[in-house]
Amino acid sequence: MGWLKKIGLSKNKETYQNNFNDLDIDSLFTSLRSNAIKIKKQEKILENIYPLEEPLKEYLSLDRSVKNNLTILAGRYKDSTDEKNKLNTRLIKNNPALSKMEAYESEIPVLQNELKEVSTLASKYKTNIEYLRIEKDNLVIDREALLVGYEALEKIGMFFLTLLGLSLIITFTLMQIIRESVWVYMSMISIAFMGFVLFLIFSKERLERELVRNEILQKKAAKYIQKFQIHYFTQQQYLDYQYKKLGINNVEQLDNYFTKYLKNKGHERNYQQHVQTLQVSEQKIKDTLRINEVPIRYINTIEEWVLNPYKLEEAKNMVSEMDSIKTQITKMKEYEQELYTTLMNYGTQEEYEDTIKDKMGEFYKWINEELDQEASV
């Protein structure tokens, strides 16, 4: 037969009976296995097609007006599905940051103003602390300079006192030589001495006052720093608590998240509306099929086709190929019988009898254990 020639078997039974030496047993079993896989694959395709045949007849038997109505319902379903999918990424439940806003929705408007005020106070306290620390550091530097000046003043005083002492000694020495003008020198030295003493007294008092004032200012600065640190810590601790609770880092982020939350809350309502539309469309499709007396067992299949037209076309194509697949299976089974006949003829020969029995046993074992798996690949 011409079909068998195409797949490699061109000899008839008589040829096999008369020309055993020309046949290859391994090749026959390879062909038998390959053919068995092809048959199994085609049978599995038929198994998938059979459940579609009756539902397809039921669908095709519907009136055109009913089909048009189903198409309109499917269009609504598709439009709602598209819109629902677009909104899916904007839903509050799919955004962890916005989900926290939902739990505290009633508190947030009050918290926004409160956190802004607390944040402003915390920033103010922090600025004050930094300013006072700088001032305190400057006071420490000033105190060091005052102490250096105080020490310098003592050294200068000792130097001038020594100088005045020497001047007095020199003056008394000159009294023995120049008696007429000694009182002039004595007056000048006394005036200078008194002026210097006054200078030392006033300078020392001023330095001491500045040192006392510096010390007081340092203590005040330290006191205010400590006070502002307590206030800052209290405010910052409250902010950290609220930020952690709301899942934010600052007040601006809270404003941003809450604005998005309110916007996405509207998306949530639209999403639910589309979900309801989908449910209504599905129910109307089922009701339409029931009203037109479609058997209950076929309704789900036909509904899926209505909602997914490409699946309906696939089902039509598959059902239209049933006869062709059955014909292929019939021809392959005929070919299979010819292969079995050839192998049986081989088995009638004493020299091949044991070989055929062993290989046939292996073949049946393969059919039982491995055929389904290989046909699924």
Side-chain angles (χ1 to χ4, degrees), residues 153-193:
L153 186 63
E154 288 182 343
K155 292 177 181 179
I156 292 171
M158 292 299 296
F159 171 76
F160 276 101
L161 286 174
T162 303
L163 184 62
L164 286 171
L166 291 173
S167 298
L168 288 172
I169 293 171
I170 294 170
T171 301
F172 282 116
T173 303
L174 292 174
M175 286 174 62
Q176 305 299 324
I177 302 170
I178 313 172
R179 293 182 181 272
E180 300 82 20
S181 57
V182 68
W183 295 109
V184 176
Y185 293 112
M186 285 293 291
S187 298
M188 292 175 63
I189 292 171
S190 297
I191 293 170
F193 179 76

Side-chain angles (χ1 to χ4, degrees), residues 118-162:
V118 174
S119 179
T120 302
L121 281 175
S123 298
K124 181 180 177 181
Y125 291 143
K126 186 177 181 181
T127 302
N128 289 341
I129 290 169
E130 292 174 353
Y131 171 77
L132 288 171
R133 281 177 176 167
I134 293 171
E135 288 299 313
K136 186 180 177 183
D137 291 339
N138 290 334
L139 287 171
V140 171
I141 294 170
D142 291 343
R143 183 176 180 80
E144 291 175 353
L146 289 171
L147 289 172
V148 170
Y150 192 80
E151 291 176 0
L153 186 63
E154 288 182 343
K155 292 177 181 179
I156 292 171
M158 292 299 296
F159 171 76
F160 276 101
L161 286 174
T162 303

Side-chain angles (χ1 to χ4, degrees), residues 243-291:
Y243 288 167
K244 185 177 181 181
K245 181 179 78 173
L246 298 171
I248 57 175
N249 297 319
N250 49 56
V251 179
E252 291 74 17
Q253 195 173 40
L254 173 62
D255 293 341
N256 186 28
Y257 280 177
F258 194 59
T259 301
K260 286 184 179 179
Y261 168 78
L262 294 176
K263 183 178 180 181
N264 285 15
K265 196 174 179 181
H267 295 323
E268 194 89 27
R269 288 192 294 269
N270 294 335
Y271 182 87
Q272 293 302 324
Q273 288 176 356
H274 289 305
V275 170
Q276 290 177 1
T277 302
L278 292 177
Q279 294 172 346
V280 170
S281 298
E282 286 181 335
Q283 190 59 46
K284 284 185 177 180
I285 290 172
K286 285 184 171 67
D287 292 342
T288 301
L289 294 175
R290 289 195 189 98
I291 291 171

Side-chain angles (χ1 to χ4, degrees), residues 154-364:
E154 288 182 343
K155 292 177 181 179
I156 292 171
M158 292 299 296
F159 171 76
F160 276 101
L161 286 174
T162 303
L163 184 62
L164 286 171
L166 291 173
S167 298
L168 288 172
I169 293 171
I170 294 170
T171 301
F172 282 116
T173 303
L174 292 174
M175 286 174 62
Q176 305 299 324
I177 302 170
I178 313 172
R179 293 182 181 272
E180 300 82 20
S181 57
V182 68
W183 295 109
V184 176
Y185 293 112
M186 285 293 291
S187 298
M188 292 175 63
I189 292 171
S190 297
I191 293 170
F193 179 76
M194 290 176 66
F196 179 70
V197 168
L198 290 173
F199 170 76
L200 286 178
I201 292 171
F202 287 123
S203 297
K204 185 178 180 182
E205 286 181 355
R206 185 174 180 183
L207 286 173
E208 287 175 349
R209 284 198 304 269
E210 288 297 325
L211 286 170
V212 171
R213 179 174 172 274
N214 184 278
E215 184 178 359
I216 293 171
L217 289 175
Q218 284 194 51
K219 288 179 179 179
K220 284 185 177 180
K223 181 181 177 181
Y224 282 118
I225 288 173
Q226 186 177 13
K227 179 182 177 181
F228 286 133
Q229 280 179 333
I230 293 171
H231 288 312
Y232 174 73
F233 176 77
T234 302
Q235 304 300 329
Q236 192 61 45
Q237 192 176 40
Y238 176 75
L239 287 174
D240 291 341
Y241 167 75
Q242 294 294 350
Y243 288 167
K244 185 177 181 181
K245 181 179 78 173
L246 298 171
I248 57 175
N249 297 319
N250 49 56
V251 179
E252 291 74 17
Q253 195 173 40
L254 173 62
D255 293 341
N256 186 28
Y257 280 177
F258 194 59
T259 301
K260 286 184 179 179
Y261 168 78
L262 294 176
K263 183 178 180 181
N264 285 15
K265 196 174 179 181
H267 295 323
E268 194 89 27
R269 288 192 294 269
N270 294 335
Y271 182 87
Q272 293 302 324
Q273 288 176 356
H274 289 305
V275 170
Q276 290 177 1
T277 302
L278 292 177
Q279 294 172 346
V280 170
S281 298
E282 286 181 335
Q283 190 59 46
K284 284 185 177 180
I285 290 172
K286 285 184 171 67
D287 292 342
T288 301
L289 294 175
R290 289 195 189 98
I291 291 171
N292 287 274
E293 299 181 348
V294 173
I296 294 176
R297 62 181 179 277
Y298 300 146
I299 286 179
N300 288 339
T301 301
I302 295 175
E303 180 187 2
E304 186 177 4
W305 289 344
V306 171
L307 297 177
N308 302 282
Y310 72 92
K311 290 187 177 181
L312 175 61
E313 294 304 317
E314 288 178 356
K316 288 179 180 178
N317 292 333
M318 291 172 71
V319 171
S320 67
E321 292 176 359
M322 281 184 63
D323 292 339
S324 173
I325 293 173
K326 288 178 180 178
T327 301
Q328 291 179 28
I329 291 174
T330 299
K331 290 181 179 180
M332 286 188 287
K333 286 186 175 180
E334 290 175 358
Y335 176 51
E336 183 180 55
Q337 289 302 315
E338 291 190 12
L339 291 173
Y340 276 127
T341 300
T342 303
L343 290 169
M344 292 303 102
N345 288 335
Y346 247 107
T348 59
Q349 303 298 311
E350 185 176 352
E351 59 183 306
Y352 298 123
E353 183 177 359
D354 293 337
T355 301
I356 294 299
K357 285 182 179 179
D358 292 341
K359 288 188 174 293
M360 194 62 73
E362 292 176 2
F363 176 70
Y364 288 139

